[in-house]
Amino acid sequence: MSDNISKNDDGHIVIKQFKNNKTVEATLDLDDEVLTGIYSAIRDLIAHLIISKGKWEGKVQRSVMRVVKELIEFAEGYKYIKGKDKKTLAMLIINEIFTKELEESELDDTLKELIRAGVGYVIEPALEIAVYAAKGNIKINKKKLKKLCFFCDVE
């Protein structure tokens, strides 16, 4: 956790933003309607993981990208917190929602552990890469790409 993002005793997420030289504190309830898209994406991902028996590959990857997209769009709404805190917020939300969804499910404990492990091993790095790419830090060498994919029409 960071000094600006935390979870209080009531289970709410507390977000401190610095706005116009003032600290503004916002509270986010995990049942808040603003998280509907993230919940939907996570439930879809869990459904794919159940089908794949906890393997984070194949069609599951599309669901991972949807979760990452929803998280980034949500975190971007907090204009006055730093990128590191946005990542902390996104990971706190994702971990809390996954925990809640898995606790309420009747899944086998082994499958639950495979899903929990994948959050750190798959979603967090995917989130970092997406943020890195969104900042324009990934450059694609189109000449090398043409050599690798001579069937493609790369401009």
Side-chain angles (χ1 to χ4, degrees):
M1 299 273 177
S2 76
D3 293 336
N4 299 323
I5 310 295
S6 60
K7 185 178 169 193
N8 66 17
D9 296 333
D10 297 337
H12 294 90
I13 297 172
V14 179
I15 304 157
K16 293 179 184 173
Q17 299 183 73
F18 299 100
K19 209 179 204 180
N20 301 328
N21 295 328
K22 292 181 185 178
T23 301
V24 178
E25 200 171 279
T27 305
L28 179 65
D29 185 355
L30 287 174
D31 294 325
D32 197 320
E33 192 175 299
V34 74
L35 296 174
T36 303
I38 297 171
Y39 267 103
S40 175
I42 289 173
R43 286 178 181 138
D44 181 55
L45 175 56
I46 290 172
H48 280 95
L49 285 164
I50 291 168
I51 293 167
S52 71
K53 297 181 174 80
K55 294 179 183 171
W56 288 77
E57 53 191 31
K59 291 182 179 181
V60 170
Q61 293 302 317
R62 275 190 240 138
S63 296
V64 168
M65 289 301 114
R66 182 172 167 226
V67 169
V68 168
K69 175 190 148 307
E70 292 290 340
L71 284 168
I72 289 174
E73 288 175 355
F74 173 78
E76 285 302 311
Y78 291 92
K79 301 277 184 214
Y80 298 100
I81 62 174
K82 295 178 183 175
K84 185 173 78 171
D85 288 332
K86 287 181 183 182
K87 180 187 173 213
T88 301
L89 174 62
M91 288 310 300
L92 179 58
I93 289 170
I94 199 83
N95 282 315
E96 291 296 318
I97 294 174
F98 263 100
T99 299
K100 181 180 175 185
E101 291 294 309
L102 291 174
E103 284 176 1
E104 292 174 358
S105 75
E106 296 178 9
L107 296 175
D108 176 71
D109 287 341
T110 306
L111 184 56
K112 287 181 182 181
E113 285 308 311
L114 287 170
I115 292 171
R116 280 189 188 105
V119 172
Y121 290 124
V122 178
I123 293 179
E124 187 171 5
L127 182 62
E128 287 181 20
I129 289 171
V131 169
Y132 195 71
K135 289 180 179 179
N137 293 327
I138 296 178
K139 306 285 186 232
I140 297 173
N141 185 327
K142 291 182 181 178
K143 288 181 183 178
K144 287 184 180 178
L145 186 60
K146 273 189 174 182
K147 288 178 186 176
L148 291 173
C149 184
F150 57 90
F151 294 112
C152 303
D153 184 22
V154 180
E155 293 183 29

